[in-house]
């Protein structure tokens, strides 16, 4: 008999975890237990010593952890995966699992804020140094990698302004310098971008965003080769960033519909970005799918879709931008992204307690920058809602 053909990503989402199925129910039971019994002394000894055993103690593993990891690993084209309690749980497990005193990391000037803090503050206390370079400038990576580095941390597109890193070019430079390449693929999802195929060694996700997709769980995932993932697991059981069985169940359920959600969101976000780009109250729209994005050619090369997040700069100051963000009917005023509901945030509002408008501009925090995550509402309704908000701005 011929081997079964490989599955399309749509089907991986539904069936990659079939071999891990534990019974006859179509959806899995939630293994609501912190610990699991052993039949005899020999079995117990095996449960206690086998890496990533799924029925020993939930901090060490859980049947649903393995199913989620299998699906995301297959989507990313990696050998195996590890789940964590959050995206930051996954990223800190990677950093603390692979780095040691004296190591040097090359990272981007623009990262998810938690990643920046991990690299610049926390790891600094343990003797790990980090250099942050302009991610849009591959030459800046080349210069930083003239000196030895243990790890290159990448993220593309980035939060909140959707600039890109040339993942293939930087991975080649990093490997020549002997560094491990880690890519945060949260914004793109494995349906729009495959970092391992572009040369990355490890991929991390905040599964709180698109993979879960419903703003109802926090989770993280790391995908890579067997030996590295096992090493990261041995770090993770010490750090304790364990994904709860309920959140693993919700994540498994969210993953089933990832493809329909992401493809619809790709199309809606492109329509919204095009419509906003022509509005006179909008100074600029940063969305990799627009021909006006300065790295659109790179986006076409390394992405197959452009996701649901865009950065908007309004022709308004801090106060006008704040009113716009808070006054919409459909896009809800909340942090996070990647779920079925559209969400919008005023990036500078996070600094409002510490900086005034001119201080923000000096610090490179644009007071008029808004991050929009397009969800599953009809794009015509979203555009109408955003236009009403923009018209209130110009009327007032
Ligand atoms: C949200 C996010 C994280 C952190 O994930 P949590 O699940 O909130 O811990 C990391 N990277 C990116 C790009 C994110 O958007």
């Amino acid at each position: 008999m011929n081997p079964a053909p490989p599955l399309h990503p749509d089907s991986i989402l539904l069936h990659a975890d079939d071999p891990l199925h534990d019974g006859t129910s179509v959806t899995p039971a939630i293994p609501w237990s912190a610990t699991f019994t052993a039949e005899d002394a020999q079995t117990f000894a095996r449960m206690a010593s086998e890496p990533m055993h799924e029925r020993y103690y939930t901090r060490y593993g859980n049947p649903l952890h393995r199913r989620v990891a299998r699906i995301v690993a297959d989507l990313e084209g990696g050998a195996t995966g590890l789940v964590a309690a959050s995206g930051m749980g996954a990223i800190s497990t990677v950093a603390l699992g692979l780095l040691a005193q004296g190591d040097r990391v090359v990272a981007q000037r623009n990262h998810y804020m938690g990643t920046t803090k991990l690299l610049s503050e926390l790891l600094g206390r343990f003797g790990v140094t980090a250099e942050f370079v302009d991610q849009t400038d591959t030459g800046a990576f080349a210069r930083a990698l003239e000196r030895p580095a243990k790890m290159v941390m990448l993220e593309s597109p980035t939060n909140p302004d959707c600039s890109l890193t040339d993942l293939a070019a930087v991975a080649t430079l990093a490997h020549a310098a002997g560094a491990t390449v880690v890519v945060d693929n949260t914004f793109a999802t494995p349906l729009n971008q495959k970092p391992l195929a572009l040369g990355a060694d490890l991929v991390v996700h905040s599964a709180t965003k698109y993979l879960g997709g419903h703003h109802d769980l926090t989770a993280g995932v790391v995908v890579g080769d067997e030996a590295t993932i096992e090493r990261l697991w041995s770090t993770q059981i010490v750090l304790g960033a364990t994904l709860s069985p309920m959140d693993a169940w919700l994540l498994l359920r969210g993953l089933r519909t990832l493809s329909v959600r992401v493809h619809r969101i790709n199309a809606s976000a492109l329509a919204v970005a095009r419509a906003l780009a022509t509005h006179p109250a909008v100074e600029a729209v940063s969305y990799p799918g627009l021909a006006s994005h300065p790295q659109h050619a790179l986006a076409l090369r390394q992405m197959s879709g452009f996701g649901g997040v865009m950065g908007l700069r309004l022709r308004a100051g801090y106060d006008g931008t704040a009113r716009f963000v808070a006054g919409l009917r459909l896009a809800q005023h909340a942090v996070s992204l990647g779920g079925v509901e559209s969400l919008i945030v005023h990036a500078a509002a996070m600094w409002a307690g510490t900086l005034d408008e001119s201080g923000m501009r000096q610090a490179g925090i644009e007071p008029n920058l808004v991050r929009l995550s397009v969800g599953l509402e009809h794009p015509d309704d979203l555009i109408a809602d955003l236009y009403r908000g923009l018209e209130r701005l110009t009327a007032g």
Side-chain angles (χ1 to χ4, degrees):
M1 208 174 76
N2 292 328
L7 297 177
H8 188 281
D10 293 8
S11 310
I12 287 176
L13 289 164
L14 279 306
H15 293 291
D17 58 323
D18 283 351
L20 305 172
H21 212 305
D22 59 354
T24 56
S25 64
V26 171
T27 58
I30 304 176
W32 255 150
S33 188
T35 186
F36 298 88
T37 54
E39 288 143 36
D40 50 46
Q42 221 180 347
T43 310
F44 183 83
R46 192 164 45 74
M47 284 159 62
S49 55
E50 193 181 289
M52 304 179 80
H53 198 289
E54 62 175 28
R55 287 176 187 275
Y56 171 58
Y57 184 61
T58 285
R59 180 157 47 78
Y60 283 55
N62 176 288
L64 294 185
H65 292 175
R66 187 176 282 192
R67 292 178 70 158
V68 167
R70 183 70 265 147
I71 293 172
V72 181
D74 280 9
L75 282 180
E76 290 286 6
T80 188
L82 180 69
V83 295
S86 65
M88 283 315 301
I91 294 165
S92 36
T93 297
V94 167
L96 290 159
L98 302 182
L99 297 169
Q101 186 174 25
D103 284 341
R104 179 170 169 268
V105 180
V106 173
Q108 303 179 173
R109 206 167 282 160
N110 195 348
H111 266 293
Y112 180 74
M113 199 199 288
T115 305
T116 303
K117 283 192 173 201
L118 171 71
L119 296 175
S120 63
E121 294 174 21
L122 192 145
L123 287 176
R125 288 200 271 120
F126 299 93
V128 173
T129 57
E131 180 174 347
F132 299 92
V133 304
D134 175 358
Q135 71 173 95
T136 65
D137 178 6
T138 302
F141 284 99
R143 288 188 294 281
L145 289 164
E146 281 165 8
R147 287 189 295 133
K150 188 67 184 285
M151 180 180 287
V152 174
M153 184 70 83
L154 305 175
E155 183 182 325
S156 181
T158 48
N159 190 8
D161 75 339
C162 292
S163 57
L164 308 184
T165 311
D166 187 336
L167 298 175
V170 175
T172 301
L173 291 166
H175 287 150
T180 298
V181 178
V182 183
V183 176
D184 183 336
N185 203 27
T186 298
F187 270 44
T189 83
L191 298 170
N192 286 332
Q193 176 171 276
K194 294 224 163 38
L196 297 177
L198 295 167
D201 301 299
L202 292 170
V203 176
V204 293
H205 280 279
S206 169
T208 311
K209 315 294 168 54
Y210 288 100
L211 302 188
H214 294 75
H215 300 133
D216 55 6
L217 62 90
T218 56
V221 186
V222 190
V223 172
D225 65 273
E226 303 267 357
T228 308
I229 293 295
E230 192 177 314
R231 178 167 166 189
L232 295 177
W233 170 81
S234 68
T235 301
Q236 194 197 33
I237 60 172
V238 176
L239 295 176
T242 310
L243 183 60
S244 99
M246 181 72 212
D247 279 4
W249 192 92
L250 287 169
L251 176 51
L252 191 58
R253 171 153 104 171
L255 279 168
R256 304 300 190 199
T257 57
L258 180 69
S259 180
V260 286
R261 286 187 284 108
V262 165
H263 288 110
R264 171 64 76 92
I265 285 171
N266 285 344
S268 293
L270 187 59
V272 169
R274 283 186 175 145
L276 288 172
T278 63
H279 196 288
V282 175
E283 185 181 296
V285 179
S286 177
Y287 182 69
L290 289 182
S292 61
H293 189 286
Q295 297 172 292
H296 183 59
L298 173 60
L300 291 172
R301 233 173 28 246
Q302 73 182 13
M303 304 179 81
S304 55
F306 309 107
V309 181
M310 65 194 74
L312 311 176
R313 285 175 184 79
L314 305 184
R315 292 192 203 283
Y318 181 91
D319 292 335
T321 305
R323 263 186 289 122
F324 169 77
V325 164
L328 298 169
R329 173 170 162 236
L330 298 183
Q332 299 178 67
H333 185 192
V335 290
S336 202
L337 58 103
V340 293
E341 295 94 357
S342 293
L343 299 182
I344 191 161
V345 281
H346 184 193
M350 296 175 198
W351 283 273
T354 45
L355 295 173
D356 63 9
E357 204 168 313
S358 74
M360 285 178 196
R361 288 201 191 271
Q362 265 167 25
I365 302 155
E366 291 150 290
N368 60 343
L369 177 64
V370 167
R371 182 186 74 201
L372 173 66
S373 169
V374 170
L376 290 181
E377 298 90 347
H378 196 285
D380 291 350
D381 292 335
L382 285 173
I383 292 165
D385 189 27
L386 292 158
Y387 267 43
R388 273 196 302 273
L390 292 170
E391 270 133 41
R392 275 195 299 274
L393 268 184
T394 42

